[in-house]
Amino acid sequence: MTRRDTMEATVVVGRGMGIDPVLLAALIDQEGGLDDRAGAGAPSDGGGRGPLRLSYDIARWTGYEGTPEGLDAVGENLRAGGRYLAYLFDRYGGDTRSVVAAFHAGPRAVDREGWRAAEAYVQEVEGRMGRLRDEVEAVEQALPEPPPPFGPPP
């Protein structure tokens, strides 16, 4: 998968889950990089897989039913990671810094120490967001808007 493909998947998943695609892209870039084959193959030292370096336990907790290796697929990884991020946004009242810190250090650490439990990581992700914003927004503008949800006739 190319960088562009990963960016497009990031925009589609972000739109669908109400998560800023720039944040998703920055987390991917921080965890494994956005370059070709980012996050593919062997798990990280901590056991995380795929572009978001998502742990199998967290993926299963979000409803993922596949194998650990299945998390190497960008779409599966982003959907499971997106569900986890949505949970964290709900838990921390929409505070992006706390969400990013909990994504990295875990909710218990953030519950004890606030977002500063992973301050350096949060600052790095914020910097990446700034650097990636124009690129993500260009991809977002190039993709068609998703169709409205199907519902009963008026």
Side-chain angles (χ1 to χ4, degrees):
M1 194 169 232
T2 66
R3 179 183 180 99
R4 176 68 182 213
D5 293 335
T6 301
M7 286 289 208
E8 288 179 1
T10 299
V11 167
V12 169
V13 170
R15 279 179 181 169
M17 295 188 159
I19 297 168
D20 182 359
V22 177
L23 173 61
L24 279 175
L27 287 168
I28 293 167
D29 196 42
Q30 175 70 23
E31 291 296 322
L34 284 162
D35 297 324
D36 296 353
R37 301 197 31 82
S44 67
D45 292 342
R49 301 209 62 124
L52 287 170
R53 295 295 190 205
L54 201 59
S55 79
Y56 184 60
D57 290 340
I58 287 179
R60 299 273 302 163
W61 183 82
T62 70
Y64 173 74
E65 296 180 350
T67 64
E69 295 79 16
L71 287 171
D72 291 337
V74 172
E76 292 290 340
N77 189 274
L78 292 181
R79 282 188 290 277
R83 287 190 298 270
Y84 184 54
L85 288 167
Y87 159 75
L88 293 173
F89 271 108
D90 185 57
R91 180 175 179 147
Y92 295 108
D95 180 49
T96 301
R97 285 181 166 172
S98 294
V99 169
V100 171
F103 184 82
H104 179 68
R108 284 188 210 147
V110 175
D111 291 346
R112 281 190 315 268
E113 304 170 46
W115 69 269
R116 295 197 187 277
E119 184 173 2
Y121 183 87
V122 170
Q123 290 173 343
E124 185 62 36
V125 169
E126 287 175 333
R128 289 174 191 272
M129 288 178 73
R131 291 188 296 277
L132 291 167
R133 184 165 307 282
D134 289 345
E135 183 180 0
V136 173
E137 288 175 356
V139 170
E140 199 166 17
Q141 290 174 356
L143 290 176
E145 283 296 319
F150 182 76

